[in-house]
Amino acid sequence: GEGDGCSLAIAYYLSDACDPVLDLAFEFMENMLMGNEASPLHKRIMESGLCERLGLCGYDNETLETSFVVVANGVEQGNLSKLEELVHGTLRECAENGFSEERLASAFAQFKLEQSEITSAFVYTQMEKVFDAWFYGPDPFLYLDYADTIAELERRMKDRRWLPGLIRQYLCDNPHN
């Protein structure tokens, strides 16, 4: 509508690996980058004044070819390239500097709790995971044993360079965006 401004959507193709640890890592990466108003990407975008609001953002694993999407609405046309550079620059900073040990530890503890929580949508979510894996070819039960997957993710996260490395590989250095 008139006066609503433009929308900017930046989408990154991530993977079609059918790897439960990588899938969970991308969910955690979304949490660290966009999970709340203090998350670096969310905060920088909103504090920049270059957009009015964020649209549906984050990790999308509803298809075999997973993606990470940033959507900003209410952007003046002259600010589209500035906002795009802000997103790319913030991601580069996160890849170079990582996250504080305290922030990582508290966010991961909350993430583990959320992953183990049995909500009203639990059965539906489990069925969807089985169906997606079955539909795309790997073992239909591949994504169901989250205890082992979370343990492996936690093991990898002990290397403080691992998560920033994922951001660098799949977002910063990714030509598919």
Side-chain angles (χ1 to χ4, degrees), residues 10-34:
I10 304 170
Y12 301 86
Y13 161 76
L14 296 180
S15 176
D16 61 3
C18 293
D19 178 342
V21 176
L22 195 55
D23 183 64
L24 205 57
F26 288 148
E27 284 189 38
F28 184 66
M29 181 176 72
E30 170 194 358
N31 185 304
M32 292 300 293
L33 293 171
M34 299 288 297

Side-chain angles (χ1 to χ4, degrees), residues 115-147:
Q115 294 301 314
S116 64
E117 189 174 36
I118 297 178
T119 64
S120 59
F122 179 78
V123 173
Y124 171 74
T125 303
Q126 297 304 93
M127 287 174 32
E128 186 177 58
K129 289 175 187 176
V130 168
F131 177 75
D132 287 348
W134 176 39
F135 185 73
Y136 294 124
D139 176 3
F141 300 106
L142 184 64
Y143 291 88
L144 293 183
D145 188 1
Y146 262 52

Side-chain angles (χ1 to χ4, degrees), residues 48-164:
S48 73
L50 296 173
C51 71
E52 292 176 13
R53 64 197 167 281
L54 289 172
L56 189 59
C57 299
Y59 175 56
D60 181 6
N61 63 351
E62 295 296 317
T63 65
L64 177 63
E65 296 178 333
T66 60
S67 61
F68 183 82
V69 181
V70 177
V71 178
N73 298 310
V75 183
E76 290 181 23
Q77 192 166 3
N79 289 335
L80 290 169
S81 61
K82 291 177 189 172
L83 186 54
E84 185 175 7
E85 183 51 41
L86 177 81
V87 169
H88 293 303
T90 303
L91 293 173
R92 280 191 299 274
E93 280 182 36
C94 291
E96 289 170 16
N97 303 329
F99 303 95
S100 73
E101 193 168 326
E102 180 181 296
R103 177 151 161 64
L104 267 175
S106 65
F108 194 70
Q110 181 180 353
F111 184 75
K112 282 183 1 182
L113 183 63
E114 289 168 359
Q115 294 301 314
S116 64
E117 189 174 36
I118 297 178
T119 64
S120 59
F122 179 78
V123 173
Y124 171 74
T125 303
Q126 297 304 93
M127 287 174 32
E128 186 177 58
K129 289 175 187 176
V130 168
F131 177 75
D132 287 348
W134 176 39
F135 185 73
Y136 294 124
D139 176 3
F141 300 106
L142 184 64
Y143 291 88
L144 293 183
D145 188 1
Y146 262 52
D148 288 347
T149 305
I150 288 174
E152 178 58 21
L153 179 59
E154 191 166 24
R155 186 190 68 74
R156 292 183 191 185
M157 295 276 297
K158 288 181 181 174
D159 177 356
R160 295 208 16 158
R161 297 168 299 175
W162 189 72
L163 184 61

